[in-house]
């Protein structure tokens, strides 16, 4: 993770550490502690700062403790699972392993492909529609084009 200035979001509870990119998707990384005490305020701040599913919260708390709170649908990563003390200081490792695990599909009217890589589904009016391998490859070709036109020959070559 490149160096960023640490920014306090909620005093003594939540700090913004920076951003990382994983699978062409940007994630904002936060550090949190004592989440149960101020979960509503933390969720309100997170909603202002990042799109749903684009946050990664490293926490010194037990990640199961916010279950049943407003933070229950957020990606919480225990600090003890990814932090190691080395000669140079504290080193964060294996963060990407947590970003590739399937995220829970929430009830909404969302239509998107944000779960295409993690769960191989497309959301249409909040319903998770499974993507066949061929449809996944087709959508991946379009995604890789990043908005540019894709010739049918390139699509045919990609689907072989």
């Amino acid at each position: 993770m490149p160096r960023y200035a640490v920014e306090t979001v909620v005093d003594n509870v939540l700090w913004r550490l920076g951003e990382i990119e994983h699978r062409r998707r940007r994630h904002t990384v936060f550090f949190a502690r004592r989440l149960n005490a101020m979960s509503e305020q933390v969720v309100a701040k997170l909603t202002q700062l990042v799109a749903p599913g684009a946050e990664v919260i490293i926490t010194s708390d037990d990640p199961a403790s916010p279950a049943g709170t407003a933070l229950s649908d957020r990606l919480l990563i225990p600090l003890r699972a990814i932090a190691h003390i080395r000669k140079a200081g504290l080193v964060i490792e294996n963060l990407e392993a947590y970003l590739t695990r399937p995220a829970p599909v929430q009830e909404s009217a969302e239509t998107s492909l944000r779960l295409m890589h993690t769960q191989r589904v497309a959301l249409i009016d909040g319903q998770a529609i499974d993507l066949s391998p061929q449809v996944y490859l087709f959508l991946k070709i379009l995604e890789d084009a990043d908005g540019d036109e894709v010739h049918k020959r390139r699509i045919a070559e990609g689907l072989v």
Side-chain angles (χ1 to χ4, degrees), residues 119-124 127-133 135-136:
Q119 295 185 16
R120 298 283 167 109
V121 298
L123 295 175
I124 301 174
Q127 297 283 8
I129 308 298
D130 290 331
L131 299 175
S132 69
V135 171
Y136 173 79

Side-chain angles (χ1 to χ4, degrees), residues 34-54:
R34 298 183 306 151
L35 286 171
N36 286 342
M38 303 182 83
S39 64
E40 297 294 330
Q41 187 177 1
V42 169
V43 168
K45 287 291 190 178
L46 287 173
T47 303
Q48 292 174 356
L49 296 173
V50 294

Side-chain angles (χ1 to χ4, degrees), residues 12-106:
N12 295 318
V13 177
L14 184 68
W15 295 265
R16 181 178 181 204
L17 302 179
E19 295 181 344
I20 61 170
E21 189 170 323
H22 179 71
R23 290 191 176 173
R24 298 182 63 185
R25 186 165 181 219
R26 188 162 297 286
H27 297 276
T28 304
V29 181
F30 295 92
F31 176 76
R33 66 184 190 111
R34 298 183 306 151
L35 286 171
N36 286 342
M38 303 182 83
S39 64
E40 297 294 330
Q41 187 177 1
V42 169
V43 168
K45 287 291 190 178
L46 287 173
T47 303
Q48 292 174 356
L49 296 173
V50 294
E55 77 282 339
V56 176
I57 304 169
I58 300 170
T59 181
S60 58
D61 298 344
D62 178 18
S65 64
T69 69
L71 288 165
S72 62
D73 62 340
R74 304 294 178 146
L75 177 58
L76 299 174
I77 301 173
L79 180 64
R80 67 181 175 273
I82 61 169
H84 305 284
I85 301 290
R86 299 277 162 83
K87 277 186 175 181
L90 185 68
V91 178
I92 303 293
E93 295 178 352
N94 302 325
L95 187 60
E96 290 167 353
Y98 286 89
L99 299 177
T100 58
R101 71 180 176 88
V105 177
Q106 302 169 14

